[in-house]
């Protein structure tokens, strides 16, 4: 972008050639746990090509082509349907590799599953030629479309997706295995639990056989017998579930802080709030999570904004590192500016992807109110405080008025002071008198009574009453002191 | 009598067993040979495209990028980018760093096989695949070339002091056969 003439300079950093997939369409009858025909991927270019393979569920667009997205959620869904082996490899020039796929899940649409295995190929990056301002790097993606049809019998499938322990009563432990039904019929999974310490099972038991319905997750609870005393230490809980042809397993390490004592978190959403809801402002959703358990725990909250009665407009997932014991944490997110209307904010507390607590709040977005309207709103919202403050101020003013009135009346009753009869001595003179009295006091204290006595009759000029009183008092005190000391001395002489 | 009966039975059995040998010399037939080619799709890599200097404005159009597709079933081609909004980002040679262009890279289909698109319609590139060519017929062994051009609007807001960095984007060409 040096400001020169626009010139497209194709830089042939890579050799031509490409990738081939075969078969590029698979139409197969399958069952869960079965395999589909293998796909051969071939490098027809003169450079090594790194290939990654990803199954994705797809719909169909109007041109008949598969329509899919490559988001993380979409990739997760695809990986739950097919397991590819290998899913990443590098092909030398002319090289080929066969990729196998195992069906993991029941039909996704009717009695079929539809999608693509997307093979993404990239050649080794070359260095751009000098003078390059921008580079467009191509990735070649070839899709093998698949159409999988299943037997027209109910498909039973499910897996254990989470496991946790909890202090269900004093010195009593309970374990919760969460099972998700991935099939199209309700079923009772067979779930077993083992508590392992130092590689040895210290407990084995089975969860109750109860139904979980299709597309739902539920927790199965197993309370350990009270007679089982597990001492302080580290353990691993292992749950194994069998549902249809699938066997699944999950581990949960935990530590007991005493015999049958398991610190456990207990998270729940406390409340939800939305701020900055004037149109033109960017609203903010805040959800408060409370931990009433005995162990800190991380929290994941999904915050969703929807038009009231409509589909979600925006969804954010907020992860909180740890919510302290007996503490709270706030999951907060800002949103895009919203036009006028009615909206709903929802907070969902997630545990292993499942929602365990929900709070919703409806709010409206209106134009920003005028300054006067805001002042009125503020007063309305704080009417009690405003009234109390006004009363307080009124009472204060009343007391002040009474005090001033009383003072005025007292002044009126006092006889007039003859200020002209007591001219105030000039300041230096007063200071001299004070200094003299101070010297006298020192003489008396130094027992130089003769001199002190001689000088005790300090002349005190006319002063205003307050000043005069002070000086006379001081002189009287000095004289009394001289007199007292003289008596003491005379007694000592006798 | 019993010996005579046994000999007659053996003679009849020998005659019956020898009969197919006469038939084989006169038989004629045909063998059915069937087969179906595997659906196969091959596509070629367009080269990395290195742009030279850009001028301010919207006249920055790339050379035509060709993807060659060979398919024995109806097929289609889509294009998308690794950046959701199609904005080229600053690249230090190994990773993206802070900085991106103000306007998205645009693309347009310029040719399919021998057909040249007279007035290519440029649209913003995004991470959602956009159809370049759909419902395309089975190709010859030489395949079908699909041409795409890119266009970049450059403004004064775009930082020109890049040093050794470049602006970069990954463009994915998705070739697939229909369901």
């Amino acid at each position: 972008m040096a400001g020169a003439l626009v010139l497209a300079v194709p830089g042939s950093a890579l050799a031509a050639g490409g990738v081939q997939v075969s078969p590029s369409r698979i139409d197969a009858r399958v069952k869960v746990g079965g395999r589909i025909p293998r796909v051969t991927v071939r490098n027809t270019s003169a450079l090594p090509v790194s290939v990654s393979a990803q199954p994705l569920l797809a719909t169909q667009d109007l041109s008949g082509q598969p329509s899919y997205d490559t988001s993380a959620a979409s990739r997760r869904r695809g990986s739950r349907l097919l397991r590819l082996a290998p899913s990443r490899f590098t092909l030398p020039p002319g090289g080929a590799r066969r990729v196998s796929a195992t069906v993991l899940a029941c039909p996704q649409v009717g009695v079929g599953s539809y999608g693509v295995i997307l093979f993404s190929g990239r050649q080794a990056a070359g260095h751009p030629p000098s003078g390059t301002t921008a580079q467009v790097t191509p990735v070649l993606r070839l899709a093998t479309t698949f159409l999988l049809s299943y037997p027209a019998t109910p498909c039973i499938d499910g897996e254990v997706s989470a496991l946790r322990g909890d202090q269900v009563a004093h010195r009593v432990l309970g374990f919760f295995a969460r099972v998700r039904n991935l099939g199209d019929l309700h079923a009772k999974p067979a779930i077993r639990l083992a508590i392992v310490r130092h590689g040895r099972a210290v407990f084995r038991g089975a969860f109750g056989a109860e139904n979980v319905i299709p597309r739902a997750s539920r927790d199965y609870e197993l309370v350990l017998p009270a007679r089982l005393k597990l001492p302080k230490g580290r353990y691993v809980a292992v749950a194994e579930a069998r549902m249809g042809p699938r066997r699944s397993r999950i581990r949960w390490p935990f530590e007991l802080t005493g015999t049958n004592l398991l610190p456990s978190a207990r998270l729940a959403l406390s409340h939800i709030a939305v701020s900055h809801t004037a149109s033109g402002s960017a609203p903010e959703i805040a959800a408060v999570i409370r931990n009433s358990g005995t162990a800190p725990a991380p929290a994941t909250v999904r915050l969703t904004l929807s038009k009231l009665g409509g589909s979600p407009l925006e969804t954010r997932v907020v992860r909180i590192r740890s919510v302290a014991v007996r503490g709270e944490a706030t999951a907060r997110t800002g949103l895009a500016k919203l036009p006028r209307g009615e909206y709903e904010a929802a907070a969902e507390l997630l545990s292993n992807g499942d929602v365990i607590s929900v709070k919703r709040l409806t709010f409206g977005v209106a134009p920003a109110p005028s300054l006067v309207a805001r002042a009125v709103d503020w007063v309305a919202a704080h009417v009690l405080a405003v009234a109390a403050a006004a009363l307080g101020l009124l009472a204060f003013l009343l007391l002040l008025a009474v005090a001033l009135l009383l003072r005025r009346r007292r002044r009126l009753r006092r006889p007039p002071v003859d200020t002209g009869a007591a001219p105030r001595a000039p300041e230096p003179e007063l200071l001299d008198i004070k200094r003299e009295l101070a010297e006298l006091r020192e003489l008396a204290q130094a027992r130089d009574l003769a001199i002190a006595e001689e000088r005790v009759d300090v002349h005190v000029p006319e002063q205003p009453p307050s000043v005069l009183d002070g000086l006379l008092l001081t002189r009287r005190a000095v004289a009394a002191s001289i007199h007292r000391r003289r008596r003491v001395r005379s007694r000592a002489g006798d | 009598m019993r010996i005579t009966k046994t000999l007659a039975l053996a003679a009849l059995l020998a005659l019956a067993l020898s009969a197919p040998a006469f038939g084989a010399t006169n038989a004629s037939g045909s063998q059915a040979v069937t087969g179906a080619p595997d659906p196969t799709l091959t596509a070629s890599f367009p080269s990395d495209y290195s742009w030279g200097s850009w001028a301010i404005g919207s006249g920055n159009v790339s050379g035509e990028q060709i993807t060659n597709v060979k398919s024995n079933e109806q097929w289609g081609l889509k294009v998308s980018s690794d950046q959701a909004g199609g904005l080229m980002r600053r690249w230090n040679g190994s990773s993206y760093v802070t900085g991106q262009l103000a306007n998205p890279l645009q693309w347009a289909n310029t040719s399919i096989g021998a057909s040249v698109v007279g007035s290519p319609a440029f649209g913003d590139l995004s991470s959602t695949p956009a159809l370049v060519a759909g419902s395309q017929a089975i190709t010859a062994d030489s395949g079908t070339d699909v041409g795409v051009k890119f266009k970049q609007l450059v403004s004064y807001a775009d930082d020109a002091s890049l040093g050794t960095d470049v602006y970069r984007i990954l463009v994915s060409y998705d070739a697939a056969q229909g369901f």
Side-chain angles (χ1 to χ4, degrees):
Chain A
M1 256 184 322
L5 183 68
V6 181
L7 186 63
V9 184
S12 299
L14 301 180
V19 176
Q20 180 186 74
V21 292
S22 180
S24 47
R25 193 176 64 206
I26 295 170
D27 189 347
R29 293 187 67 79
V30 297
K31 59 179 183 179
V32 176
R35 288 191 169 186
I36 63 174
R38 290 194 287 185
V39 181
T40 301
V41 186
R42 192 179 304 280
N43 177 7
T44 61
S45 77
L47 284 174
V49 173
S50 59
V51 178
S52 65
Q54 173 65 52
L56 297 166
L57 292 172
T59 55
Q60 193 169 23
D61 65 19
L62 291 174
S63 73
Q65 292 293 304
S67 176
Y68 48 84
D69 74 84
T70 55
S71 65
S74 179
R75 292 200 302 271
R76 267 199 304 278
R77 280 196 296 275
S79 298
R80 294 175 71 87
L81 176 66
L82 288 180
R83 184 175 57 234
L84 304 180
S87 58
R88 282 178 186 280
F89 49 90
T90 300
L91 293 175
R97 190 84 186 254
R98 298 178 87 182
V99 176
S100 67
T102 306
V103 179
L104 300 177
C106 292
Q108 306 293 302
V109 183
V111 289
S113 293
Y114 307 94
V116 298
I117 302 173
L118 195 62
F119 296 95
S120 302
R122 282 187 67 184
Q123 289 179 318
H127 292 290
S130 61
T132 296
T133 304
Q135 191 170 34
V136 178
T137 303
V139 176
L140 195 58
R141 301 198 296 203
L142 297 185
T144 288
T145 52
F146 61 76
L147 305 97
L148 309 181
S149 50
Y150 295 68
T153 53
C155 181
I156 294 175
D157 188 18
E159 64 178 7
V160 57
S161 58
L163 176 66
R164 66 182 172 88
D166 204 348
Q167 189 80 56
V168 292
H170 182 61
R171 306 273 180 188
V172 179
L173 301 177
F175 286 84
F176 299 83
R178 184 167 301 165
V179 173
R180 182 177 294 141
N181 188 337
L182 303 169
D184 45 27
L185 196 68
H186 63 278
K188 294 178 178 176
I191 319 164
R192 297 193 61 79
L193 177 75
I195 307 291
V196 180
R197 189 181 192 198
H198 302 314
R200 196 176 66 83
V202 293
F203 172 80
R204 285 184 192 280
F207 289 85
E210 294 171 44
N211 277 314
V212 54
I213 66 171
R215 311 296 162 196
S217 291
R218 61 158 293 181
D219 282 348
Y220 291 79
E221 183 181 4
L222 174 59
V223 177
L224 300 192
R227 66 174 186 284
L228 179 69
K229 304 294 182 198
L230 296 178
K232 176 181 173 179
R234 292 175 184 276
Y235 299 80
V236 178
V238 182
E240 286 182 330
R242 186 161 48 79
M243 198 166 171
R246 189 195 292 261
R247 284 174 185 275
S248 54
R249 192 169 192 264
I250 195 164
R251 297 169 80 251
W252 185 68
F254 64 98
E255 183 171 4
L256 297 183
T257 53
T259 302
N260 285 9
L261 279 183
L262 176 63
S264 319
R266 201 156 292 165
L267 300 179
L269 282 170
S270 166
H271 59 273
I272 179 173
V274 180
S275 55
H276 311 300
T277 54
S279 68
S281 303
E284 184 183 86
I285 305 179
V288 178
I289 306 112
R290 182 170 293 155
N291 183 0
S292 58
T294 54
T300 304
V301 183
R302 184 164 57 210
L303 300 168
T304 306
L305 174 76
S306 313
K307 189 92 177 162
L308 195 59
S311 51
L313 297 171
E314 200 169 349
T315 298
R316 300 271 177 88
V317 174
V318 179
R319 289 181 176 82
I320 294 168
R321 194 181 294 265
S322 179
V323 185
V325 174
R326 308 274 168 209
E328 288 185 343
T330 304
R332 201 184 299 275
T333 188
L335 304 168
K337 290 178 182 175
L338 296 174
R340 291 178 66 169
E342 293 293 313
Y343 296 88
E344 183 183 76
E348 296 170 307
L349 183 62
L350 304 179
S351 166
N352 293 299
D354 295 310
V355 177
I356 58 171
S357 177
V358 183
K359 292 278 179 194
R360 294 180 198 282
L361 181 70
T362 303
F363 67 97
V365 170
S370 66
L371 198 63
V372 174
R374 271 192 284 172
V376 170
D377 283 351
W378 188 89
V379 170
H382 301 83
V383 65
L384 279 177
V386 169
L391 279 175
L393 186 64
L394 202 63
F396 173 74
L397 290 175
L398 200 64
L399 285 173
L400 192 65
V402 169
L404 288 173
L405 199 65
L406 286 174
R407 190 175 167 191
R408 186 174 175 78
R409 285 182 64 183
R410 206 180 296 137
R411 272 193 186 168
L412 288 174
R413 281 180 195 162
R414 196 181 293 165
V417 178
D418 185 8
T419 51
R424 191 186 174 100
E427 283 296 320
E429 194 179 346
L430 261 181
L431 287 175
D432 288 346
I433 295 166
K434 283 179 183 173
R435 197 180 309 119
E436 197 168 350
L437 283 170
E439 282 174 12
L440 269 176
R441 184 178 285 159
E442 282 175 12
L443 285 170
Q445 283 173 353
R447 288 161 178 69
D448 210 345
L449 295 175
I451 301 171
E453 202 167 19
E454 250 177 44
R455 292 169 57 182
V456 74
D457 288 328
V458 174
H459 170 71
V460 175
E462 284 298 328
Q463 291 294 316
S466 57
V467 179
L468 189 64
D469 288 351
L471 294 174
L472 291 176
L473 272 174
T474 309
R475 193 174 68 178
R476 204 177 301 144
V478 172
S481 172
I482 293 166
H483 182 65
R484 197 164 49 247
R485 295 202 185 286
R486 191 165 286 287
R487 270 181 28 204
V488 171
R489 278 192 186 179
S490 64
R491 273 186 207 154
D494 292 345
Chain B
M1 182 65 184
R2 183 175 290 176
I3 293 169
T4 311
K5 276 186 181 175
T6 306
L7 284 173
L9 197 64
L12 276 172
L13 190 63
L15 191 66
L17 286 173
S18 62
F22 290 107
T25 55
N26 298 323
S28 67
S30 59
Q31 180 189 22
V33 178
T34 59
D38 265 343
T40 302
L41 182 66
T42 304
S44 68
F45 282 100
S47 304
D48 256 2
Y49 186 75
S50 299
W51 236 311
S53 50
W54 277 333
I56 300 290
S58 60
N60 306 301
V61 181
S62 75
E64 190 173 53
Q65 307 298 297
I66 300 292
T67 303
N68 179 270
V69 180
K70 298 171 187 172
S71 175
N72 55 4
E73 293 267 7
Q74 202 176 66
W75 59 276
L77 185 72
K78 294 182 180 182
V79 68
S80 60
S81 73
D82 63 333
Q83 304 299 321
L87 298 174
M88 296 185 85
R89 290 180 61 191
R90 192 166 172 160
W91 174 260
N92 67 5
S94 56
S95 61
Y96 286 118
V97 293
T98 307
Q100 62 185 15
L101 293 181
N103 297 289
L105 183 66
Q106 296 187 314
W107 72 277
N109 174 220
T110 46
S111 66
I112 298 178
S115 310
V116 177
V117 179
S119 304
F122 283 91
D124 292 350
L125 203 58
S126 82
S127 57
T128 303
L131 193 68
V132 182
S135 305
Q136 296 298 304
I138 294 169
T139 67
D141 282 351
S142 58
T144 300
D145 285 345
V146 180
V148 167
K149 281 187 181 178
F150 299 110
K151 186 162 82 171
Q152 181 64 59
L153 168 63
V154 178
S155 79
Y156 285 99
D158 297 324
D159 189 357
S161 49
L162 291 174
T164 56
D165 295 354
V166 294
Y167 288 109
R168 177 184 188 254
I169 198 165
L170 270 177
V171 175
S172 294
Y173 297 88
D174 291 18
Q177 293 176 339
F179 279 116

